Amino acid sequence: MSEEVKASSPKQPLLDQYVKIIKEQVGEEAIKDAFINEPNDHMPVLVINKDKWYDVAKLLKDHPEMRFDYLMNLAGVDYEKYMEVAYHFYSYSRNEFLGVKVQTERDGGTVPTVMDIWATADWHEREAYDLLGIGFTGRQISRILLPDDWVGHPLRKDYKPFDEEV
Amino acid sequence: MLLNVGPQHPSTHGVFRLVVKVDGEKITDAIPVIGYLHRGTEKLAENLTYTQIIPYTDRLDYLSSMTNNYALVQAVETLMGIEVPERAEYLRVIVMELNRIASHLVWWGTNLLDLGAISPFLFAFRDREIIVNMLNEISGARLTFNYMRVGGVKWDAPEGWIEKVRKFVPYMREKIKEYHTLVTGNEIFLARVKDIGVYDAETAINYGLSGPVLRGSNVKYDIRKNQPYSVYDRFEFDVPVGEKGDVYDRYMVRMEEMVQSLRIIEQAVEQFPESGEIQGKVPRVLRAPEGEVYTRMESSKGELGVYLVSKGKDKPYRLKLRRPSFVNLQLLPKLLIGRTMADVPAILGAIDIVLGEVDA
């Protein structure tokens, strides 16, 4: 049943096109999964292999059929078994949206930085590191909202406050 | 020499600290230090039901609480597929646009105060008071309104309220003209804001800027227009843009936005349904189905986005707030390097940050 619904999504051809371009230019193994997020206005979503993320990111921004020049949001999520970084893109020239997910290990996991592709990723990545402990390779990173000597990363599901009474 | 600007100076707009390296009068480096206010809103939200989170959103951009309320309920409504009655949508638009004007008024007053002018501050707060009183009448609060609910709004408009709003529009139009007479042509003002803090459209997009700071650099993009939510597609209004992206352009964009908000309010009051529900049918306990959405809206500062991950419980699994002030502030060091200390308040003020939103 879900297959039928998927086929009827108006964004499915677009998603197929993105997948095709990425597989051709970066490699078959770059994409782990691709689906349409229906409640979210049929937003196409790609799950990218983190080893290939930097190359894919460059392609997302520069390829004439994608041109995702605006990184709207970057959010880290703790799924308890693994960590995920969710990116949301918009293309001004094409008026299209795209969601991207990159997964990494829960403890000491890292994701390549994309701050030289989208400058706005800088503080977003620092926030994800600060609150969830997700590392970003290829850049200097420090806490942004919490003091430098803070212990732990509060948005992790297993975070224990230093003093629970406070 | 290292200079600390803030965190407790009025022109740093609250608890913002800027470490500035100066060589004589010239700024050679600037490092923003934020996080003095961090209250962990996203963490708190994981332990609260959807309705309980609404008052927390009031405290993000506390000058524009109505839009923050909307950003959250929009995400929940999108994920749950809830229909909102028309009358409620109109009330939402009216209070959000009133709040946008109130927010821009605070920016206008305090920004000019930073530049050394006191009267605009008094003018702005005099007129903002009228809006705050109207919002108080409908919501019961002057700052943290907590007015919107998933599926509608908390209270209907009291007797005669719509009429009050209708009368406010021409009054405010006149006042904005008065503001222009008072400030906009002033030579000292122009010397402080023209050709200062300039960046082009490409830089603005690369830094993810949104709202007036994006439109000031000639990017004609407004979520209300380009991806309409609520009932915004029913109103006629223009999206003002600047030409070269200096402080002056951002000033003019905000001034014009107030005029456009008045246009929207005027039409909303005209079209306001005589009767009808203000709260749609929603279950007593809100349980968003498993899934995730990223929704966005045009707050007075820019794109306010909510990334909501649900596991089917009555509380969100993860709630990430994409706060426009946080994102817009990133460009600040780049704008300050090479300028003088006197330009700091002008450039910072033109970004229009609210610290509750910078570090939620």
Side-chain angles (χ1 to χ4, degrees), chain B residues 180-219:
Chain B
H180 280 301
T181 319
L182 182 71
V183 176
T184 312
N186 183 299
E187 269 183 49
I188 302 167
F189 168 71
L190 290 176
R192 298 282 307 265
V193 296
K194 279 254 180 189
D195 299 312
I196 285 164
V198 186
Y199 52 85
D200 59 6
E202 201 187 324
T203 310
I205 291 170
N206 195 26
Y207 275 86
L209 306 190
S210 53
V213 290
L214 171 73
R215 293 190 280 273
S217 295
N218 207 356
V219 182

Side-chain angles (χ1 to χ4, degrees), chain A residues 26-44:
Chain A
V26 186
E28 284 286 325
E29 71 284 9
I31 297 178
K32 276 188 179 171
D33 195 9
F35 58 91
I36 299 281
N37 187 348
E38 282 189 36
N40 205 174
D41 213 9
H42 290 265
M43 186 189 277

Side-chain angles (χ1 to χ4, degrees), chain B residues 289-306:
Chain B
E290 201 166 330
E292 54 179 67
V293 284
Y294 176 74
T295 55
R296 49 200 218 127
M297 56 106 57
E298 189 75 36
S299 113
S300 57
K301 314 288 184 290
E303 174 176 339
L304 180 55
V306 175

Side-chain angles (χ1 to χ4, degrees), chain A residues 40 70 72 76 78 157, chain B residues 292 294 303 317-318 320 322:
Chain A
N40 205 174
Y70 173 25
M72 297 188 292
D78 178 3
K157 293 285 178 186
Chain B
E292 54 179 67
Y294 176 74
E303 174 176 339
Y317 184 75
R318 169 86 166 98
K320 156 85 189 187
R322 187 260 189 221

